[in-house]
Amino acid sequence: MSVTDDTARTPGTRKLAELSGPDVAARFTADTIVVQPTGAVEHHGPHLPLLTDFLLADHIGGAAVDRAAAEGLDVWQLPTLAFTKSDEHSWAPGTVWLDAATMFDTVVQVGRAVALTGAGTLVFANGHGGNVALLQVALREIRKRYELKTFLMPTLARLPGPDGEDADELGLGIHGGAAETSMILHLRPDLVDMSRAERWVPEHVAGFEKIAFNGGPVSFGWLSDDFGTPGVVGDASRASASYGAALWEHSLAEAVASLHEIARFDPRPPA
Amino acid sequence: MSVTDDTARTPGTRKLAELSGPDVAARFTADTIVVQPTGAVEHHGPHLPLLTDFLLADHIGGAAVDRAAAEGLDVWQLPTLAFTKSDEHSWAPGTVWLDAATMFDTVVQVGRAVALTGAGTLVFANGHGGNVALLQVALREIRKRYELKTFLMPTLARLPGPDGEDADELGLGIHGGAAETSMILHLRPDLVDMSRAERWVPEHVAGFEKIAFNGGPVSFGWLSDDFGTPGVVGDASRASASYGAALWEHSLAEAVASLHEIARFDPRPPA
Amino acid sequence: MSVTDDTARTPGTRKLAELSGPDVAARFTADTIVVQPTGAVEHHGPHLPLLTDFLLADHIGGAAVDRAAAEGLDVWQLPTLAFTKSDEHSWAPGTVWLDAATMFDTVVQVGRAVALTGAGTLVFANGHGGNVALLQVALREIRKRYELKTFLMPTLARLPGPDGEDADELGLGIHGGAAETSMILHLRPDLVDMSRAERWVPEHVAGFEKIAFNGGPVSFGWLSDDFGTPGVVGDASRASASYGAALWEHSLAEAVASLHEIARFDPRPPA
Amino acid sequence: MSVTDDTARTPGTRKLAELSGPDVAARFTADTIVVQPTGAVEHHGPHLPLLTDFLLADHIGGAAVDRAAAEGLDVWQLPTLAFTKSDEHSWAPGTVWLDAATMFDTVVQVGRAVALTGAGTLVFANGHGGNVALLQVALREIRKRYELKTFLMPTLARLPGPDGEDADELGLGIHGGAAETSMILHLRPDLVDMSRAERWVPEHVAGFEKIAFNGGPVSFGWLSDDFGTPGVVGDASRASASYGAALWEHSLAEAVASLHEIARFDPRPPA
Amino acid sequence: MSVTDDTARTPGTRKLAELSGPDVAARFTADTIVVQPTGAVEHHGPHLPLLTDFLLADHIGGAAVDRAAAEGLDVWQLPTLAFTKSDEHSWAPGTVWLDAATMFDTVVQVGRAVALTGAGTLVFANGHGGNVALLQVALREIRKRYELKTFLMPTLARLPGPDGEDADELGLGIHGGAAETSMILHLRPDLVDMSRAERWVPEHVAGFEKIAFNGGPVSFGWLSDDFGTPGVVGDASRASASYGAALWEHSLAEAVASLHEIARFDPRPPA
Amino acid sequence: MSVTDDTARTPGTRKLAELSGPDVAARFTADTIVVQPTGAVEHHGPHLPLLTDFLLADHIGGAAVDRAAAEGLDVWQLPTLAFTKSDEHSWAPGTVWLDAATMFDTVVQVGRAVALTGAGTLVFANGHGGNVALLQVALREIRKRYELKTFLMPTLARLPGPDGEDADELGLGIHGGAAETSMILHLRPDLVDMSRAERWVPEHVAGFEKIAFNGGPVSFGWLSDDFGTPGVVGDASRASASYGAALWEHSLAEAVASLHEIARFDPRPPA
């Protein structure tokens, strides 16, 4: 069965909301995967647009859905959530942040709606690190309430730094640094002001053995104005469009590969 | 002062989130108007996409902001809210609805963020009738909490029906009927399937003197599957792209005129 | 069947809560209409009692129920809600206001209780404009959760002003002006102090084409201390008991006519 | 100073909401006591109206305020809350119950409003036993948030039973039994149907040493349909108007005496 | 049947959480009683540990369960709640207090979990007076939602004062006074500093006829810093380990007797 | 200054709640670290007690605090939270789980209380994996609201499996497997029933490249009854007390090392 040729008027679209309600009801099955990109509108320093994380989630999420569909998956994209849990930047004008409870209720209600479509799987394609923990809580809540299979995948996959393995971001290039700046330079160079891009690496939080932003055994609570930088953590000055292009392709490939894994993953044992 | 030439990298953009945080802080004043379009992803019958109200809010909202800015207003657009209060269609697969409390909290938190930018005014440009009452409650809440001037304006302005004054929609063309179908035929004809468009006018609720969908003294609570139609209230069969084009221009002109009024309206007495 | 002669001890009462529980269970059917008046205790300027909107809702609501019952409807009245959504007057001592969420939960829970009685219809007879939008949200919520038919009707119906069509209230006589003052002069003259009644018409918000308190395409958020008046919007100085008597009879007649329409209105199609 | 002669239009009223907002602001001081009666609309068996507890709270509350004011206290009455925490009767049609959270928020918000008036003391005069624990929680919350002195007093004070000390209600005459039935026989005999009044004493819960409805060391959770009676706990058959008259006068005297104590009680040490 | 010999590895334990999940499922029946001790971590003056109420609830609760089980009841103990509703001491560093809503939700969710075990009865063994009213509200909520029989019993039972009937605590020895200080002197003398123990009896709130901390007809809202004492209400100076030992045995005996009553008490009528 | 010798009555205690309120106020400074252990009462299969995670958090948390204090840190322990976010086991009798919102509010309120003590740092020492994401959300919330430095550290640190590097748990030994079973065998062998311990490794979820329980780029939502095992994920049959002893010492050493790092870590730049 071809999933793309039975709706004459929207050939090829993978945007769920471009279908009609009855089309959704007719086409979606337990094998259908719905992707909800989650971005952010939040301060990313003087050189990047507020829209940075939205752009990553929206473009990678959308491109991954299209490519995975072309490769045979029954996968669909919901409109990207623009306003999410950006409270670590709530000191900075331009940030639009939801409280944790509101964000949680929103994504759980997305799950409720996806369950109604008949789809069996919901995937959050997330462009904003500040959403990760909350979305992980939501994965379980949605599975428990609505019995969907639920997943969370990132829309930015790391590569060695532009000048080699992490160069000197010291593992701290997490917000507005070389990676994100490069990707926006690649995607929307008109929105980047490299004349304002600097190295903002808070060296005093580097080099700890246990405590890390990601992946260490000890997590810590932080706000983006904690570090003595203008709300950025990373070295924006090393960004380049070419590195962005490489990150772009790598992130997309990772997202597509993840969707393929998701399509064949089931926590339940084989019958 | 020109509000559009001081940010070299984004000449002419009126999209708030394409600015950086510091740009927002530097440029916004008490005269700044921020427009939050509110759409919906909800069932609109077999002939229209779920995205219908989103498209109206997003396109009219955006075009009105651009035109009003070109005419001298300091006005900016936030990303359109896709998921809103669509509970009257929650029986229909494909609808993504937020609970009243979640929607309320979301828009109040948008108000909180707008107040932080330094802007003095927040306008909801709303494409979904089901949001109106809730947004009216929010207008007051946001004004009370954050002292913004707050407004709600529609993104679809009515004209006489395609075949004359209301033709025979009987004043009931409120959801998926001639007006909305025509506008999407004009904007995104690829998303409309006129072969499934019919007359779905619930004549049994027409002709009441007090009770009306809008504007009568008596309101009533309804769900879109109450009326014996496939979730549509209106005559989609009379839709046409040309009528849609007329509605489009009329709606845009009304929205722009509303923004001009908003810019000079202040509930507070002149000093 | 006479609905009024089967309970010997309470002949003629239409007050639901004067019945016993088993009487309610025995008498109520899907044709039964329950009316919930909603008043307010809120600042109405120096000349009117805080109880103004409560009096309108309670008296018009009660009289309309009695008259409609005498004309054959199976209609019953709940005790009037005194404390409602009066946050626009929360700056003024004497106002007792509920938060939006608390008011919403209260009226939804009234709906829950009415559904348990076996009645098929719930009507809010509302005396306070600040409740309208919130009650409209509740109409749908109650219908969705409890399957009642739900309606909202006002307890004050407008007439041409005391000196002709609106005289010079400029369409702004919405709170404590000629109409409300006249009605209280008619109903409880002991509670009105006309020596303090003045013309408080905020002319600076009149004459807008789009933006209006009621009925314009553009709504705005306001607090009653926005306008440079002592919390009143209207011309109290033109009030008279005779105009109040006319408003009284007109409002009552409109409410009764609305109940008759409600009794025969059903969103669902005829079987 | 006479507190009753400075508002010509409402001589003698002790109903707060019959004042205007500015009158409240001008007259209330830290010595002012505001009384909030709390009733209920809930099943009281086949012989009593749903309004029973409302009537007790409203009439005793109002009469106590009037008498205490005549005796020199600066005391005022708010409109009686009709819908309260009656979930133990939520199985019985006609009961209108609020969830615990909604009731709690409502009375805390009453406290917020009373604090704004300038009064120093809020007293709940409660006619419904099911509210006691929740109101006790609220007393502290209101004191903590708004710094009011807060009190809770009952509007029914027990006397020896109509036929002597408790006759054979076994200490279980707590809902719809001899006391309440007698008081309504005294106050509103038209609302009582003694032909349906029976002895409904759940003897199987009497005689425990620790566990009691009130006053024992061990509390228990109950619903009014637990006991094998028609939602009543007590002996309604022994009710009489004359016993009701005695209870009435005793309850009123106790309430007035309580208000006098309240007026001179301060948890804070003397200066 | 012996309830203690079927789980070889945990002979004799009455701690529910020392069982495995399947053991709970296999052993619990409608006759099973689960005891949830509720303590507090809150200021008890300079002489007592923050843990005072926790110790009372934990030790008396645990000892009562063990003794009642030895006497044949099928009774089990959950881990003691340490953080509860201590907002009256929230001014004092070291107090860990939950908001009323959070505490309520917590104990209702304990009820949900107990219902899942198959047990028929939940008993709160409470060491902190500030929890009583809230737990009483919860008793009904849990019974209504989960159909458990629910009870609340204290873990401190009063005796005549150390120097005779109340000596001169004036009925005010409610927090950190002779009784609690004596019990901790008996249980954990290492945690008491008698050199800082004084008489802190707020005599200005004694001697009222209606208003009392406990047991009077009129309740009042208080915070522990209202009274001009260092957050204590009572006479700590009279405490002694021997009086504590007597209280200890009396409280334990009362708790055990209460559990026996609870085991044979059923609000429902005998079949 | 010695932090342990200034309170004669509680020499050496590091349990915050064994101090009095005034002691806390006098001793705590911005350098003080408060540790909140978070356990769980939840199904761990037929061989382990419900208390498993509580024991890990309580014992490792407590021992780490004592050792770190002995090594000079000003660190204190709060009573361990027994009931936490165990909804993945809510199908299993004996589990006591809090909803996400209740757990979140609880730990944020713990943060509020810790901030009041004057301490500068709050560390969650967590024994239950199901709490991690929610606690990470709380770290930021508490930092934002109360300005504490906040951290999350685990109380079980992994070692190579009992028979070598992971033996054949396939990286899936996350709940009730070799590690947890061994630790309880070491700590409380009376609570383990090895006769019921089996290999419950859901091989069908092993070997994925992106999707993993922990540490993979893609997270998924799961319930412990998803996998076709009796609520366990891991190989309990390989557990041994000696491996438990090694894990115990390793976990404790890691926790102590983490506390030392935490004591010298500050997100804020050096002055």
Side-chain angles (χ1 to χ4, degrees), chain A residues 9 17 19 50 99 109 190, chain B residues 9 19 50-51 99 109 190:
Chain A
R9 62 183 161 168
L19 301 180
L50 296 158
D99 292 341
Q109 291 167 28
D190 60 307
Chain B
R9 65 189 158 163
L19 301 180
L50 295 157
L51 208 55
D99 292 341
Q109 290 166 28
D190 59 309

Side-chain angles (χ1 to χ4, degrees), chain B residues 7 15 33 42 56 97 101 121 127 214 226 242 246 263:
Chain B
T7 304
K15 294 185 173 162
I33 297 168
E42 67 180 28
L56 296 181
W97 71 103
T121 298
N214 296 304
D226 273 337
S242 60

